[in-house]
Every structure is written in structure tokens, then in C-alpha cells.
Amino acid sequence: MTTRLSQLKPRQHIFNLFIFTIAGLFLTAFITASPMEIINGMIAIIETRDVLITDYMSVGGVGAALFNSALVMSMSLFIIMRLRLNFTGTTIAAIFITAGFALFGKNPLNILPILFGSWLYSKAQGVAFSRYVYIALFATGLSPLVTEMSRLLPFSGFVNLLCAVLIGVIAGFVIPALAAHTVSMHQGYSLFNVGFAAGIIALCMVSFLRSLGYTISTTLVWHGARSKAWFFTLTLYFVIVFIYGYIISGCKIKSFFHLFRHPGRAVADFIIMDGVGPTFMNMGACGLLCLVYIYLIGGQLSGPVIGAILTIFGFASFGIHCINFPPVVLGVYLFTLMGSFHASDPSMQLAAIFSACLAPISGQYTALAGIVAGILHGSVVAYIGSIYGGMNLYNNGFAAGFVAIIMVPVIESFIKRYK
């Protein structure tokens, strides 16, 4: 069995991970809810506001939220396979970020206009959609724009829907060009580059709407249960992924530690650089680190927290690893000790997990720089979401972009002076 697994091609191993995850989500959905409960829950998820923070486990129930996550993940995988792209670390990150945020903000309907907009952009540029498909999948972080516009505008229901779809298409059309430029601003030290670009679009859109007199605000719908069953289930999942990676690495743990030599600065595709086995071990280990942190601070495995963990699990194939990740999380935790926030507050739970997108700063400039980045990230993300009314699901990506833009030039200037 071990020999047979190690002989499979990397694409097959990654495909196995996707299918295992999707099947697990669907199975757990039907274990926790009846088909009718899932249908009713999906209707509630599609009809409700999606701005931050809207926990689909609270809106439609646990079963419907998991079903929605599996459905959105399946759609993303189908698009990638339809385009016949190679499976890399970027693929894993893109697929798992859609699955994670489908627990709080994305659904099969509100992501379609944005995907279509990016497809139109590829046609306007005269290139294959495969060139922009990953940006398109990441850009679905703007999906609350679609849902919110369908409810906010003062026209009839049908006209509102058409306007909402058009706005989503425009956002999807604009973001590939914008994301190509924002990456130069933070120089690859924020792994959520599209989140930064999406924040700029959301900021412009919401500012315009507010100037017309519309009221747009964030919300907090939170499923606050602290379930031992969820801790056990996710622990088992991450352990299985780690063991799978260990087996296909020839039962050699050394390759896992060898991966830590990378600082993580984008583009750091661990699948390409180190192979599937070490990458899977790193993904499983990073998932476990996230779980340990949430458990120690007394946090809850709500839909957003599970979604955040799945996102970092995916990005552990694309820049995040067990050495460059913890210092930034520690920085966010230290920030919660300084002021009015608590580590178990919903926003701070998400800030700590998502701060991993700044892991390249820790990997490149030592753990101390990572801690400082985490402290700054916690302070910025606590307030920045209100400026665009929670329309950008990647609020932490937007905040992290500013932190990287501030920190990296300052650090570099002192390094050059020292040299």
C-alpha cells in the first residue's frame, strides 16, 4: 500500500486530497442535518446578507454551511480541471480559500458574476482564461458586493438583481489588472495579494454608495459553540493529511524540515519546490497549530474560524510553514494583551489565524519582525473593515497589505544601512 501510494503522480495525490475533503464535507453535512434542513438552510444562506462577519452555521445551520462549502469547493475544482491546469500549491490555496470562505460569505450564486467578469477580462486581453483563473477564484472575496447590491438599491427586485450582477461582473473584470500592480506595493510579503486589491475596489465602491446616502455597515452573526466534536474531527483530518504526506515522502521526515528553509515570500509554491509529500506534512502541521491556538485561547470553532483554518491549511502549500507562521500569531496575541480586545473575540480569533499571510516577513527578517508584524496587523484589522462595510471578505488581507507596505521598506532601509 505504501509503495503504491508513493508511485502515484503528484497530480493524483492532490486530487485525492480534494476529493477526500469534498466527500468529508458532504458526508458531515448529511450526518448533521436532514436533506430538507439542508435545502432550507441553503435558501437562507443565499438570501441573507454576506458582509463580514456572517457565519453560515448560524444562518442556515451546520449541515447547510458544510454543504455550501463542499458545493463551492466542487465548483472551483471543476473549473480548474475543465481548464486542464497542473495542480500546484497555487491550486491548493485557491481551492481551499473558496471552501473556507464558503462557511461565511461565499455561495454558489454570489461568486458567479465575479468569475464571469474575470473571464471577460481574459477575453478582452485575448488570452486563455487559465491565465487569470486563480485570480478569479481569489477575487470571489468580493461576493458580498453582489448580495448586498441586490438588497440595497431602491429599484424593483429584478432590476436590483441585474444591477448586482453587473457590479459583480465589473469587480471581477477590474481585479486582475489591479492585483498585478498591488503585488509590487508589498513586494510579495503579504500572501493575500488579491485581498489587498479587493479591499481597494470595495473601498471605492462603498465610498461612492455612501456619498449617495446609502447606509452600509458590518455585521456580526457568530455561531459560538465550543464543540469537542469539531476539535476532534479537524484534528483527525489534519493528522490524516500529515500521515499521507509522510507516506508518499517515503516515510522520511527530513524532507518536511527541509521545507522550512524557504522564507515564504510570494511566489513560494512548495509543491513545485519541495514536492507533494513535504507540502502535505506542512499543511497538516499548520492546521494543527491553528487548532491548538484556538483551543488554548478558549476560542470557538465557528464557521468563520473553521474557514480561516482551512484557508491557512491551503496556503501552507504556498508560503506558510510551521516556522514562519507562529511568530506573527504570537504578535496578534500580544496585541490583545495591550488594549481592549480579548484573544477570544471573534475578530481577534480571525486576525490571529489570518495573520499567517504575513509569515514571509517572519521568514525573511527573523521572528522578531514577525511578532511586530502581528502586533501591527491586530491593530489595523480591528478597525479597517468598517471603512468598506465588510464588503471585502478578505479584510485581513487588506490590513496585511498595509502592514507589509509599512514594515518592509523600513526594515530594508536599516538592513542596507547596516551593510
Side-chain angles (χ1 to χ4, degrees):
M1 177 66 176
T2 302
T3 304
R4 223 180 312 166
L5 280 177
S6 61
Q7 290 175 346
L8 293 176
K9 293 182 178 180
R11 180 183 178 87
Q12 187 61 54
H13 291 304
I14 298 172
F15 181 75
N16 290 345
L17 175 64
F18 290 150
I19 295 302
F20 175 66
T21 305
I22 291 170
L25 288 169
F26 275 127
L27 179 62
T28 309
F30 283 103
I31 289 175
T32 55
S34 68
M36 187 53 64
E37 288 173 331
I38 289 176
I39 292 173
N40 292 333
M42 284 298 298
I43 293 173
I45 284 172
I46 291 170
E47 291 182 345
T48 193
R49 295 181 70 207
D50 297 311
V51 296
L52 286 176
I53 303 172
T54 304
D55 189 341
Y56 282 167
M57 286 188 175
S58 182
V59 171
V62 174
L66 295 176
F67 184 86
N68 184 64
S69 178
L71 200 57
V72 171
M73 186 176 181
S74 299
M75 290 172 60
S76 303
L77 179 59
F78 174 79
I79 293 171
I80 297 295
M81 296 191 67
R82 185 73 177 79
L83 295 173
R84 299 186 179 184
L85 293 174
N86 291 327
F87 288 169
T88 63
T90 311
T91 312
I92 296 173
I95 295 290
F96 275 97
I97 198 173
T98 58
F101 278 87
L103 294 172
F104 66 117
K106 299 181 183 181
N107 63 61
L109 294 186
N110 66 10
I111 67 173
L112 289 178
I114 296 168
L115 293 173
F116 182 65
S118 295
W119 178 82
L120 285 179
Y121 180 82
S122 70
K123 295 305 173 184
Q125 293 294 312
V127 299
F129 182 46
S130 57
R131 180 171 178 178
Y132 297 109
V133 65
Y134 291 124
I135 292 178
L137 290 173
F138 289 132
T140 54
L142 283 170
S143 56
L145 272 175
V146 178
T147 307
E148 196 73 358
M149 290 302 99
S150 67
R151 301 165 58 91
L152 190 66
L153 299 177
F155 312 115
S156 67
F158 181 72
V159 175
N160 276 10
L161 182 60
L162 285 179
C163 291
V165 170
L166 179 61
I167 290 171
V169 171
I170 292 172
F173 187 88
V174 170
I175 202 165
L178 183 58
H181 289 277
T182 54
V183 69
S184 63
M185 298 173 68
H186 55 73
Q187 301 179 48
Y189 285 98
S190 172
L191 297 175
F192 293 173
N193 175 56
V194 177
F196 186 60
I200 295 173
I201 293 174
L203 174 60
C204 293
M205 178 62 69
V206 171
S207 297
F208 177 73
L209 290 170
R210 284 173 173 165
S211 69
L212 297 177
Y214 292 102
T215 300
I216 301 172
S217 59
T218 58
T219 187
L220 179 59
V221 180
W222 189 263
H223 183 76
R226 184 173 167 84
S227 170
K228 292 182 179 179
W230 272 120
F231 278 105
F232 173 79
T233 302
L234 289 172
T235 298
L236 180 62
Y237 172 74
F238 295 138
V239 168
I240 289 173
V241 173
F242 185 93
I243 293 174
Y244 189 89
Y246 177 72
I247 291 172
I248 62 180
S249 294
C251 298
K252 297 177 181 178
I253 198 71
K254 185 178 180 180
S255 59
F256 168 52
F257 296 111
H258 191 60
L259 182 145
F260 299 159
R261 73 191 187 281
H262 303 298
R265 181 183 177 187
V267 175
D269 194 314
F270 295 153
I271 294 290
I272 295 174
M273 295 188 295
D274 289 87
V276 177
T279 302
F280 278 13
M281 284 191 278
N282 184 56
M283 291 170 65
C286 285
L288 291 171
L289 282 176
C290 292
L291 277 179
V292 168
Y293 177 80
I294 294 298
Y295 181 82
L296 291 177
I297 64 169
Q300 308 90 25
L301 288 179
S302 60
V305 172
I306 295 175
I309 293 174
L310 287 177
T311 299
I312 301 310
F313 172 77
F315 270 85
S317 67
F318 191 78
I320 297 170
H321 56 65
C322 299
I323 300 300
N324 65 8
F325 171 24
V328 194
V329 179
L330 176 59
V332 176
Y333 177 75
L334 292 177
F335 165 75
T336 64
L337 302 179
M338 299 175 183
S340 58
F341 293 95
H342 192 276
S344 61
D345 291 343
S347 61
M348 287 299 106
Q349 290 185 62
L350 297 181
I353 301 300
F354 281 130
S355 69
C357 67
L358 288 168
I361 291 180
S362 173
Q364 184 73 35
Y365 301 116
T366 74
L368 179 59
I371 293 172
V372 174
I375 293 172
L376 289 176
H377 180 75
S379 61
V380 174
V381 81
Y383 299 102
I384 203 168
S386 61
I387 67 174
Y388 46 70
M391 289 285 200
N392 174 25
L393 292 176
Y394 306 151
N395 184 47
N396 280 269
F398 189 49
F402 283 110
V403 172
I405 289 170
I406 293 169
M407 282 196 65
V408 172
V410 173
I411 295 173
E412 288 284 349
S413 68
F414 279 100
I415 289 176
K416 292 177 181 177
R417 183 178 179 183
Y418 176 75
K419 286 181 179 179

